[in-house]
Amino acid sequence: MNERVAKSVAFLLRNPNASVSEAMAAVQVFSREECANRSLQQRYHGFNGHLLKALLRKKKEVNMVLVTVPHTEERVEALAKASTHGAVFAVTGGDHFTSDDMFKAAELPAKKAKIEQLKKNKKERLAGIEREAVGRKILEQGKEIKALTGNELTALLKCMVLQRAEISKCQRRGRCG
């Protein structure tokens, strides 16, 4: 075996700045030389593995910066909005799918829909209370129906229609037990 080739291979493998293609080419040359000179193996009493010893470059450790802090409302909202695996990974930093934040994020859309429905119901109830108060005020005046104005009649009708809608059909006809 050519000592110069072996030394160049060893140098390239130990040099952290050497390119991979240079090192691979040197290993191929070394391998060809080694196969061609089998008789040299007897002289060295085997294969010189120490010549191929390499220094591996350490990868730089990447510090994962989390977008959110665990167990916060911001994280739950971000998880609820995340639609891809990459977005979920960015928010959680690779946290497991059975974490509390994931379960809360899964329930968040249903919770928001329920809140919207409750707000809508509250708005309708407040409007009904206001219409009922206007209707009672008109009735307390004690005027006859012929003496009421159009606006007053409309207010009474709105109040009565809502009250009638709240009463079931069988109750209006007097058939319920």
Side-chain angles (χ1 to χ4, degrees), residues 77-97:
E77 289 177 8
L79 283 172
K81 291 178 184 175
S83 59
T84 62
H85 177 71
V88 171
F89 188 85
V91 173
T92 63
D95 199 7
H96 200 270
F97 274 98

Side-chain angles (χ1 to χ4, degrees), residues 55-66:
L55 294 176
L56 299 176
R57 294 181 202 147
K58 286 187 177 181
K59 289 186 178 181
K60 294 180 182 177
E61 289 187 22
V62 178
N63 291 333
M64 189 70 176
V65 178
L66 293 177

Side-chain angles (χ1 to χ4, degrees), residues 97-136:
F97 274 98
T98 59
S99 67
D100 288 342
D101 293 336
M102 295 297 284
F103 290 123
K104 288 177 183 177
E107 287 295 318
L108 191 63
K111 182 179 175 183
K112 284 187 176 183
K114 187 175 181 179
I115 289 171
E116 288 300 319
Q117 183 64 34
L118 290 173
K119 285 181 181 179
K120 183 180 174 185
N121 289 345
K122 180 181 178 181
K123 186 177 178 182
E124 289 174 1
R125 283 185 278 119
L126 289 175
I129 290 170
E130 187 177 317
R131 280 192 293 266
E132 186 178 345
V134 170
R136 285 188 190 275

